[in-house]
Amino acid sequence: MFPLLWLLLAGPVSPPGMSSSVDPAFLSLAREVEAALRDGNPAALDARLDGDELLQRVTRGLPVSSAFIEELTADVHKRGWPLGRRLLGSGGQGLQVRLLHVRMRGRTPFALFRVLSDSGLNYLEFELGRNARNEAVIFDLHPYLEGERLSESSWRVYLLAAAERGQCLTQRLRGPDREWVEHLPQLRRIERLLAEDRDREALEEMDRLPPRVREARFTQLRRLAVLASLDEAEYALGLLTFEKAFPGDPLLDLFALDNPLLRGEGAVMMQAIDRLDRRVGDPYLHYLRGMVMLRQEDLAGAKRSFQKALEGDPALLAPYVELLSLAIEEADHAGAVRLLEAMEREIKGGEMRVRIEDGPHASAFLESAEYKAWLGRQVARERRDGGSELSGPTVP
């Protein structure tokens, strides 16, 4: 199968389904979050965060005085929470963000987003609520790949910050929290090593932590992130260690999608995708099923999965790309043009650039009457109103 590459700019996002029990204000807020993430706009995210509520969650239970908490949180009170910068990094451009649904869990609304980036697939879950002025706001955030809520990870940061500022916490803490504080110098050394790209030394330092700190979920996830950039075999072993410590954890299914040792295990991959889908209800996972089937040379099954992905989320372009590639390979030129037209409809008002790389099947398609007629319509429309664009065939 020849490679077919695509680039989508300014694509549309159709509204997700919503239960009638969800307040429309929360769906409106979720759409604002989606637009801010897609456009790389951290300020829009930060403006909808209830910083006071988050700060209460972060500092709840810290064994320090209220006066010291005020000192510790002074910067947050002054500048606010950098939620947008945390999610978007230096710019956030290139993120593919999709609001999947807004659902009630008990009396609390949660908005779930799919995020595709250079780092792969992730899901972000926002806990929503109303502030003292009865405005719909964000209370908390759970990035699935981090394994915990922002309030939980920030609590640990504040605990260690309090220890660094001379608070005698070891007398007021028990269990793993006390060990975190006792091994603060070692934890800070790990952070410095990672910042200096000395990943192997950082791993060795992690392995010297006491068992309860070393085996904590946060440490295990940090260790996996480092292993993923170092060695595939070690990463796979790290996954096994994580699975033993946290059996049945939903994170394992996300990790499985990137596990090099499972890429050829179609049945195992399908099971992981199915478990993840039951949790998130994401049409994109039909696309991943189709990719597994392609590797198994089940072309009919792959096509069905790609079509299901598009039925669930017509704005997904990746399934179109695979279906287009298959249609061209099978010399279904009319079908390939129908797919191109469908892609155009899904990016109303945006730009579509398709690059078809050289190869015998591609050459036949590019010489076909169907393609030339479609290209003529593209050129005419481009001259008329600056619509979608097509770049001609290129050689790798």
Side-chain angles (χ1 to χ4, degrees), residues 38 44 58 74 86 116 167 218 225 235 290 296 314 321 329 353 396:
R38 192 173 60 247
V58 168
R86 176 188 175 96
L116 292 169
Q167 296 293 296
F218 171 81
Y235 175 66
Q296 296 174 324
V321 171
E329 183 174 303
R353 290 187 176 89

Side-chain angles (χ1 to χ4, degrees), residues 180 206 209 213-214 216-224:
W180 281 104
M206 287 182 195
L209 288 167
V213 176
R214 185 175 66 245
R217 185 190 184 95
F218 171 81
T219 310
Q220 289 293 310
L221 288 173
R222 196 67 184 275
R223 192 172 187 278
L224 279 174

Side-chain angles (χ1 to χ4, degrees), residues 46 49-51 54-55 57-59 81-87 124-127 138-144 146-158:
D46 295 344
L49 175 70
D50 188 333
L54 181 57
L55 196 58
R57 296 183 180 198
V58 168
T59 57
W81 285 94
L83 175 63
R85 290 192 298 277
R86 176 188 175 96
L87 293 178
L124 300 178
E125 185 178 70
F126 287 84
E127 179 186 342
I138 301 166
F139 278 166
D140 212 338
L141 162 71
H142 179 192
Y144 275 25
E146 292 188 18
E148 58 186 0
R149 294 184 175 195
L150 175 60
S151 57
E152 294 170 323
S153 58
S154 298
W155 189 91
R156 187 184 308 106
V157 170
Y158 274 63

Side-chain angles (χ1 to χ4, degrees), residues 88-380:
L88 299 169
S90 59
Q93 301 302 321
L95 288 179
Q96 298 178 46
V97 180
R98 178 72 160 105
L99 172 60
L100 295 175
H101 49 70
V102 181
R103 293 178 178 170
M104 300 299 294
R105 197 176 302 157
R107 296 184 177 183
T108 305
F110 291 86
L112 184 67
F113 300 81
R114 176 211 312 135
V115 178
L116 292 169
S117 68
D118 292 341
S119 302
L121 173 65
N122 195 7
Y123 293 94
L124 300 178
E125 185 178 70
F126 287 84
E127 179 186 342
L128 310 179
R130 289 190 177 274
N131 62 13
R133 295 185 297 276
N134 203 36
E135 300 166 328
V137 292
I138 301 166
F139 278 166
D140 212 338
L141 162 71
H142 179 192
Y144 275 25
L145 282 177
E146 292 188 18
E148 58 186 0
R149 294 184 175 195
L150 175 60
S151 57
E152 294 170 323
S153 58
S154 298
W155 189 91
R156 187 184 308 106
V157 170
Y158 274 63
L159 176 69
L160 297 180
E164 283 187 321
R165 297 193 186 189
Q167 296 293 296
C168 298
L169 301 178
T170 54
Q171 302 301 317
R172 290 171 263 174
L173 292 169
R174 295 290 183 272
D177 290 338
R178 179 170 179 168
E179 292 191 56
W180 281 104
V181 170
E182 289 175 338
H183 290 82
L184 177 60
Q186 195 172 353
L187 293 169
R188 291 303 186 216
R189 173 170 167 74
I190 291 169
E191 295 299 326
R192 287 195 300 272
L193 291 170
L194 290 173
E196 296 168 4
D197 294 325
R198 296 161 65 184
D199 292 350
R200 180 62 65 184
E201 292 176 70
L203 279 176
E204 293 170 355
E205 197 69 33
M206 287 182 195
D207 291 340
R208 286 192 284 268
L209 288 167
R212 284 198 292 192
V213 176
R214 185 175 66 245
E215 295 165 7
R217 185 190 184 95
F218 171 81
T219 310
Q220 289 293 310
L221 288 173
R222 196 67 184 275
R223 192 172 187 278
L224 279 174
V226 178
L227 286 172
S229 65
L230 286 179
D231 184 89
E232 287 193 349
E234 287 184 89
Y235 175 66
L237 290 173
L239 284 173
L240 292 175
T241 301
F242 185 90
E243 184 174 12
K244 183 177 180 180
F246 305 98
D249 194 296
L251 268 176
L252 291 166
D253 297 323
L254 266 178
F255 291 151
L257 303 182
D258 287 326
N259 186 342
L261 297 186
L262 294 181
R263 287 174 189 156
E265 299 290 337
V268 177
M269 290 293 287
M270 285 294 199
Q271 290 169 6
I273 293 171
D274 290 345
R275 286 192 300 268
L276 185 59
D277 204 6
R278 285 194 291 271
R279 181 179 178 89
V280 300
D282 183 5
Y284 178 78
L285 296 176
H286 284 302
Y287 163 71
L288 293 185
R289 291 186 183 98
M291 295 304 291
V292 173
M293 291 176 185
L294 275 186
R295 288 195 290 269
Q296 296 174 324
E297 299 185 359
D298 179 3
L299 300 188
K303 288 180 184 179
R304 286 193 299 270
S305 288
F306 294 146
Q307 292 289 356
K308 285 182 181 178
L310 294 173
E311 289 167 10
D313 186 353
L316 277 173
L317 264 277
Y320 279 120
V321 171
E322 296 302 330
L323 287 169
L324 180 58
S325 180
L326 288 168
I328 293 174
E329 183 174 303
E330 295 169 352
D332 181 8
H333 299 155
V337 166
R338 285 195 296 271
L339 286 163
L340 287 171
E341 291 171 342
M343 292 166 74
E344 289 180 275
R345 289 193 296 271
E346 288 307 320
I347 61 164
K348 307 174 188 75
E351 290 185 346
M352 181 177 77
R353 290 187 176 89
V354 176
R355 184 178 69 192
I356 301 174
E357 297 184 349
D358 196 27
H361 299 290
S363 297
F365 174 60
L366 296 173
E367 292 299 321
S368 69
E370 292 89 346
Y371 171 79
K372 289 179 178 178
W374 179 77
L375 183 59
R377 293 193 296 272
Q378 292 291 110
V379 172

